[in-house]
Amino acid sequence: MSSQPPRHGHLARRLFQLYAGLALYGASSALLVRSGLGLEPWNVLHQGLSERTGLSMGLVLTILGAVVLLLWIPLRQRPGLGTVSNVLVIGSAMDATLAVVPEAHGMTLRVLVTAAGIVLNGAATGLYIAARFGPGPRDGLMTGLHQRTGVSIRLVRTAIEVAVVATGFVLGGTVGVATLLYAVTIGPLAQLFLRVFAVPSASDGPTAVAIGQPCGAILRP
């Protein structure tokens, strides 16, 4: 008897991983907000825009994600279920978490919340990338620019993230030690959790989703 799971069970697992990962991504990002020690590059911009507009961070994330998705059109990128879900779920999960988690006080607690936020963000990234439903809108922008310009993904990613961090900082977003810590740890963490949450192919049996660095980039919210 075949040990492979039924096809509908395989799809159900992928869908669960997608939405659990996206929700956890939003929640983990909210923890970094509450720690006050610095945010991920794009969330520095989201927080800055939130400060300037009075909109919640989650709503800003959703609106900006939709705007970035529109930029896929001239770049000829094709969104997947994961792409659209990314825009809709992460911001809502972030706002829901911010509504119930208070700001951390005291350096020990702030450090613990930061560490939890980064590790959970890595787990969330592994969950929803391994589900294989398409990239987030910001990574699609990055890969689209790479394909259209011929500039390396590393250089395109660096240029975009430097620009969003600088802009977000000017607008009032929080840049701190957690921003640097996130930058140097999220790649290894995501790679670890990609292996942990790898979804076997429905037809080929257990296979790893990724062996090397995932497409040279981590999917951003």
Side-chain angles (χ1 to χ4, degrees), residues 42 68 71-72 75 136-146 160:
W42 277 95
V68 171
L71 297 177
W72 282 33
L75 295 175
R138 293 154 185 82
D139 272 341
L141 174 65
M142 177 187 62
T143 55
L145 287 171
H146 159 67
I160 291 175

Side-chain angles (χ1 to χ4, degrees), residues 85-96:
S85 298
N86 184 296
V87 173
L88 298 175
V89 174
I90 293 180
S92 299
M94 175 184 283
D95 277 349

